[in-house]
Amino acid sequence: MGLLDIVPAGVVTGKNLLKVFEYAREHNFAIPAINCTSTSTVNAALEAARDIKSPIIIQFSQGGAAYFAGKGLDNKNQEASIIGAVAGAQYVRAVAKAYGIPVIVHSDHCAKKLLPWFDGMLAADEQYYKAHGEPLFSSHMLDLSEETKEENIETCLKYLKRMAAIECWLEMEIGITGGEEDGVDNSGVDNSALYTQPEDIWDIQKAFSEVTDLFSIAAGFGNVHGVYAPGNVKLHPELLGKHQAYVVEQLKCENPKPVFFVFHGGSGSSEAEITEAVRNGVVKMNVDTDTQWAYWEGLRNYYEAKKGYLQTQVGNPEGEGKPNKKHYDPRVFIRECEKSMSKRVQQACDNLGNVDKL
Ligand SMILES: [Zn+2]
């Protein structure tokens, strides 16, 4: 039985989203979450997943969302980030079904200082729910890992209750993920603080489960955001297995993997590390840095190959009067970016076992 026997194509939310993650957990694969900043990058991700018959997660960061709306907009009080995220989600909704795959539309890291962004998106979800009986977004991520554990859980719970009412999924983060992304710099943090403890996971699982089962946990196990030189970081995906075992012991449940884990900061990790993380209940993995590189590489390779056709509007190696329009049409060179990015998205899917799942 494939995923499309369980959920419809298009954006999935609520119980259907839960079914998708349960299916992934049961079948030992994870779905990559691709950071998108434009309709071009959204399309590249959707096309990639469609061609390998798999579900995909489209996610917008606070900065990516502002970019989606246009860099010319002022982002005071997170206005551009709210408008851009909502526009992005609406765009994904408009096209997702045509690609014939289940699509999860998600917002990425939201730290405490960015909460107005979160509030704005949630207001749009509530409005959408009134009209359509489901939220606009499938899920949102709240990152209060910089705060104390108590404040983190308490604030998440406050939002979780509001989100449970509209069947919107919450992804939270506990433990510090190193590196720097969207302005949060943890590169100087002591290594021992990078690893989440099983008691922390249980505290979250217990408190959240009383409200809803629509949530997942991004637990630090040595992850680093952004790029880094290989060998600088020690990932311990086996810790996730220990967390699961600890929760199973508390719950006395039959399911060996009661917690939905999310893998952040996984750029550059080995296949073995990814496989072990997935085996231990990771159902979503963020992919950003590598697809950014792939998008750029598509343009670079195109330029290198067509250099002689891209210097003037008229005149190329074939003759002085030859027009170059078809070489500098954005549909041509941006398409090369998309094709290159799509390939990288498929590679991410492949690494996570997310191939041929429909
Ligand atoms: Zn994170």
Side-chain angles (χ1 to χ4, degrees), residues 96-157:
K97 210 173 273 173
Y99 283 85
I101 56 171
V103 177
I104 294 157
V105 60
H106 176 78
S107 66
D108 199 6
H109 290 85
C110 178
K112 189 176 179 178
K113 62 174 188 229
L114 300 179
L115 281 175
W117 175 48
F118 202 91
D119 290 328
M121 290 187 291
L122 212 46
D125 284 317
E126 287 166 341
Q127 207 182 349
Y128 196 89
Y129 187 86
K130 268 190 209 148
H132 305 280
E134 64 172 338
L136 174 64
F137 286 84
S138 311
S139 53
H140 297 289
M141 200 256 150
L142 205 46
D143 178 12
L144 301 169
S145 59
E146 300 266 290
E147 318 309 322
T148 63
K149 183 177 96 174
E150 289 68 29
E151 183 181 344
N152 185 348
I153 294 181
E154 196 182 312
T155 310
C156 282
L157 270 176

Side-chain angles (χ1 to χ4, degrees), residues 283-294:
V283 293
K284 169 180 180 280
M285 181 169 167
N286 290 356
V287 180
D288 185 11
T289 317
D290 293 336
T291 43
Q292 284 181 337
W293 174 256

Side-chain angles (χ1 to χ4, degrees), residues 178-323:
E180 190 188 338
E181 197 168 57
D182 267 350
V184 179
D185 186 0
N186 289 325
S187 47
V189 168
D190 171 27
N191 214 37
S192 64
L194 297 174
Y195 305 103
T196 312
Q197 302 304 307
E199 292 82 4
D200 300 335
I201 300 297
W202 169 239
D203 285 345
I204 297 159
Q205 187 75 16
K206 186 163 157 263
F208 285 25
S209 297
E210 284 168 19
V211 180
T212 177
D213 40 13
L214 304 181
F215 67 91
S216 50
I217 304 172
F221 53 98
N223 334 33
V224 173
H225 278 141
V227 275
Y228 57 90
N232 279 355
V233 67
K234 191 105 189 75
L235 278 181
H236 288 282
E238 77 280 1
L239 288 178
L240 300 178
K242 288 187 179 153
H243 298 336
Q244 296 281 18
Y246 188 84
V247 173
V248 167
E249 201 183 294
Q250 307 303 315
L251 288 173
K252 311 259 178 282
C253 65
E254 300 240 315
N255 182 353
K257 294 188 280 185
V259 186
F260 289 111
F261 281 122
V262 178
F263 192 165
H264 288 186
S267 295
S269 32
S270 74
E271 253 175 70
E273 287 165 337
I274 292 174
T275 305
E276 180 153 22
V278 171
R279 196 172 57 229
N280 290 325
V282 163
V283 293
K284 169 180 180 280
M285 181 169 167
N286 290 356
V287 180
D288 185 11
T289 317
D290 293 336
T291 43
Q292 284 181 337
W293 174 256
Y295 196 87
W296 156 245
E297 205 178 27
L299 182 58
R300 189 192 60 182
N301 291 345
Y302 175 74
Y303 181 73
E304 291 298 337
K306 298 282 179 193
K307 219 170 184 169
Y309 298 80
L310 294 165
Q311 304 308 317
T312 47
Q313 282 190 283
V314 178
N316 61 44
E318 288 167 44
E320 260 181 40
K322 297 278 185 196

